[in-house]
Amino acid sequence: MSQTATTTVAADAKRSDSVGDDFARVSATFSGNVDNPFPIYRERRANMPVMVGDIVTEFGSVTFTTMQKPRPVYTLFRYHDVMSVLKDAKNFSSGFLMETGMASFMDGFALTAMDGDAHRQARGLLQPCFAPDVLKNWRLNRIQPVIREEFVAPLVSRGKAELVADMALMFPIRVIYDLMGFPNEPESLSKFASAALRILGGISPDPEAKKAAMVAAKELYDSTLKIVQARRAAGLDGDDLISRLIRSSFEGSSLTDHQITMFTRMLLPAAAETTTRTFSTLMTLLLERPELLERIRADRSLISKAIDESVRYEPVATFKVREVQNDSVFQGIAIPKGSLLSLCVASANRDDEVFEDGDTFNIDRTTRMAFGFGFGPHMCVGLFIAKAEIEVALNAMLDMMPDLRFDPDYPRPVIRGIQLRGPEAVHVVWTPQ
Ligand code: HEM
C-alpha cells in the first residue's frame, strides 16, 4: 500500500505492517475498476432505476450476489426504492448472508445475516450496552484520551503526517478494543485487528482468502474467550462492553462466556476499517475545501453536520444486498421471490428527488435520512461510537494543528472503491507546535 511514508514513534509502536497489509488487501478485494461511478449512477437513476444484474459485477468488484447459487439479481438506484427495501426486513431478508457473508466464518453469528426474532433478540441484548449515557462516559474517559493523547498530540511537533497510516488505521482499532475491555497490548491488538480484517477479506471467491478467514475467526474466538474469562474473573463492575454483557441477562438467564465471545467477535470486523475510511474520506473532503475547514475550526458545532454530509456524499459501505421473500414490483418491473437485490446506497444518497443538487457536498443542506450507516432494523449498531471517534479526532486536530492543509509535495488523495470507498493516503502539513 502507498501509505507508508512517515510515521511517528508512537504510531510505529502501535501499528503493525500486517494490519496495513491486511487493510490494503481488503481495499483491493472491493475496489473494482471505476474510481468515480457517480455519473453512471446519476444516469441510471434517470433512465434505468432498476437494472437487471448487479452493477458491482460490471465494475469488477466482488459482491455477495455472484457468490450465491445462480438466481435473478437486480440493482436498485433510487432513494425511495432503496429505503423501502432496507426498512422491510420481513419481505427483504438478510439470512442468505449466512452462506457467504462474514457469518459463514463466525459460526453463523453475525447480526448482518440474521432475520426476525433472532436478530431482534441479539440487538436487544446489545443495544443497552450502547445507550447514550454509556457512550457519554466512554467518549469522555476512553475515546477522547486515546485519540487526543496517543494519536494526535504525538504528531503536532512534526508539522506533517499521512493521516491514514499515522492515525486513521490504528485509532479506531485502539478505541474499539479498549471499549470492549481488551488489555492495551499493542502487539496483540495488531494481531486481533489483522484477524478481523482477514474475516472481512474472506468475502471473496478466492478459496485462500476464505481459508484465511476461517483460521482468523477461530484465532479471534480463542483470544476473545480468554479475555472474556479474565473480565469475569476480575469482577462485575467494569464499564467496558464485555463486563456489561457479563452483567446483562436474557429471558432470566445470564449470558455464557461462549455467547459473550460470539457477540464481541462479531463486532470486531465491523468496527474499525469502516471508521478508518470514513475519517479519511471526511478529511479529504474538508481539506479540498479550505474555507469550509476554517469555518468548522471556528464553529465546532458544525462537525456533526460535516460527518453526516460526508457519509451521505461518500458513504464507505456503498452497496447492501437483500433477498426478495415475496414477488415484488419496483418501478413497474416485476421481481420474483428468491431474487437478490443489490441496493446502490451511494446512488440513493445522491438522489435529487430527496437531496437537492445531490452531487454537491454541502454541510448546510436540510437534514434528511441517508443510508451511509444503513437504515431500518439492520442500521449500524456502532453509529454513535463511530461518530464520537471521528468528532473527537477532528476536534483534536483542529485544536492542535493550525493551518492544516494538503502537503503540496504529494498528489491530492483520490476517494475510490466500488464497494468500500476511501482514499489510500492523505498527506497533510501544518505549522509545527
Ligand atoms: C464510520 C463507521 C461505520 C460505518 C460507515 C458503518 C456502516 C454500517 C452499515 C452501512 C451497516 C448496515 C448493514 C446492513 O444493512 O446490512 C452497519 C451495520 C453494523 N455495524 Fe456499522 N458502521 C460503522 C461503524 C461501526 C462500529 C464502530 C461498530 C461497532 C461498535 C459497528 C457495528 C455494526 C454492526 C454490528 C452492524 C450490524 C447491525 C445489524 O445487522 O443489525 N459499525 N454498519
Side-chain angles (χ1 to χ4, degrees), residues 71-72 74 91 323-328 334-340:
R71 54 169 133 178
Y74 299 82
N91 284 311
E323 183 181 46
V324 179
Q325 293 302 309
N326 293 297
D327 291 349
S328 307
I335 297 190
K337 176 180 173 178
S339 308
L340 292 179

Side-chain angles (χ1 to χ4, degrees), residues 8 10-11 14-15 145-156 165-175 401:
T8 58
K14 284 189 289 291
R15 186 188 158 210
V146 165
I147 294 179
R148 285 185 82 90
E149 289 157 29
E150 296 183 29
F151 287 88
V152 180
L155 290 175
V156 295
D166 290 350
M167 279 182 65
L169 188 61
M170 289 309 288
F171 82 68
I173 291 169
R174 173 74 178 91
V175 167
M401 297 173 174

Side-chain angles (χ1 to χ4, degrees), residues 221-233:
Y221 178 90
D222 293 343
S223 313
T224 306
L225 179 63
K226 284 192 194 128
I227 289 158
V228 171
Q229 288 163 341
R231 298 304 304 151
R232 199 185 282 280

Side-chain angles (χ1 to χ4, degrees), residues 245-265:
L245 285 171
I246 290 172
R247 288 198 295 274
S248 65
S249 67
F250 178 62
E251 290 180 347
S253 342
S254 49
L255 296 174
T256 64
D257 287 353
H258 166 70
Q259 288 168 318
I260 295 169
T261 303
M262 298 286 271
F263 265 101
T264 309
R265 178 180 64 170

Side-chain angles (χ1 to χ4, degrees), residues 99-168:
E99 291 164 40
T100 49
M102 286 191 285
S104 63
F105 313 119
M106 296 195 288
D107 308 298
F109 195 84
L111 280 175
T112 40
M114 290 179 184
D115 287 318
D117 282 347
H119 179 252
R120 258 191 307 281
Q121 284 162 1
R123 273 197 81 121
L125 269 166
L126 212 47
Q127 214 82 49
C129 302
F130 295 115
D133 60 321
V134 177
L135 188 62
K136 202 169 150 201
N137 280 331
W138 279 353
R139 181 183 175 124
L140 203 64
N141 303 319
R142 292 171 179 266
I143 299 175
Q144 202 149 285
V146 165
I147 294 179
R148 285 185 82 90
E149 289 157 29
E150 296 183 29
F151 287 88
V152 180
L155 290 175
V156 295
S157 64
R158 278 183 30 197
K160 66 192 295 177
E162 193 289 278
L163 294 180
V164 182
D166 290 350
M167 279 182 65

